[in-house]
Amino acid sequence: MSVRLKPSTLDGRLQESFAAPAAELYARATGPDASAALIRAVELRSFLALAEEQILRVRDRVHDAMAAGRDMDDLSADALRMDAQWLQAALDARDGYRGALDGLLRTMPPPGRQPRPAPTAQPAVTAPLPPAAPAPQRAGAARARRP
């Protein structure tokens, strides 16, 4: 399954922030007018969806290993320990991607409100400058050579 089709826990926030569902955001992100924020958001969403998929796989594997109908001789502490490490890594990754995506969405302007462009013109000087002081009489004059 494509990462574009995998759900993520922040899809609602993305849709709210960009006023479009995740599938449409991926299409917009490949266009020539895509903003840097949209491209980053889609990338982070992809990483988040993959990390959440890993969490689900490990959880399901542990549940399957611990199912009531399973033979107890099939249990392996080493396998469960490895799954616990894998789960911790996936949870850490998910938390990092969620934090980065949350931060990006928090700094964006609300939907429908474009940020004001930064002024590009230099401010004009309206006060006249004071008159320049006269230079000393010999200022900049070369010294005469002595014989």
Side-chain angles (χ1 to χ4, degrees):
M1 177 185 276
S2 170
V3 73
R4 294 175 181 209
L5 302 176
K6 291 180 190 305
S8 87
T9 54
L10 291 181
D11 284 352
R13 290 258 335 266
L14 278 169
Q15 184 168 347
E16 193 177 291
S17 296
F18 289 100
E24 188 178 319
L25 295 179
Y26 279 96
R28 269 201 237 163
T30 60
D33 297 334
S35 68
L38 174 62
I39 293 168
R40 286 186 187 107
V42 168
E43 286 175 350
L44 286 168
R45 186 222 172 262
S46 296
F47 297 144
L48 174 62
L50 287 174
E52 290 176 345
E53 170 86 9
Q54 291 301 312
I55 291 167
L56 293 176
R57 284 183 182 192
V58 174
R59 181 201 63 191
D60 292 348
R61 187 169 47 242
V62 170
H63 283 182
D64 185 50
M66 303 300 287
R70 294 286 304 238
D71 185 2
M72 290 183 72
D73 291 336
D74 291 341
L75 281 177
S76 165
D78 287 336
L80 290 173
R81 203 172 359 268
M82 182 63 133
D83 284 335
Q85 290 173 348
W86 190 325
L87 180 62
Q88 186 61 54
L91 288 169
D92 290 345
R94 182 206 53 189
D95 293 346
Y97 296 135
R98 282 183 62 102
L101 192 50
D102 270 338
L104 176 69
L105 296 177
R106 256 193 323 272
T107 61
M108 290 179 43
R113 185 175 146 225
Q114 294 298 321
R116 294 194 309 171
T120 55
Q122 294 291 331
V125 177
T126 57
L129 294 173
Q137 207 168 14
R138 292 190 45 93
R143 288 187 136 168
R145 290 188 155 204
R146 295 187 184 183

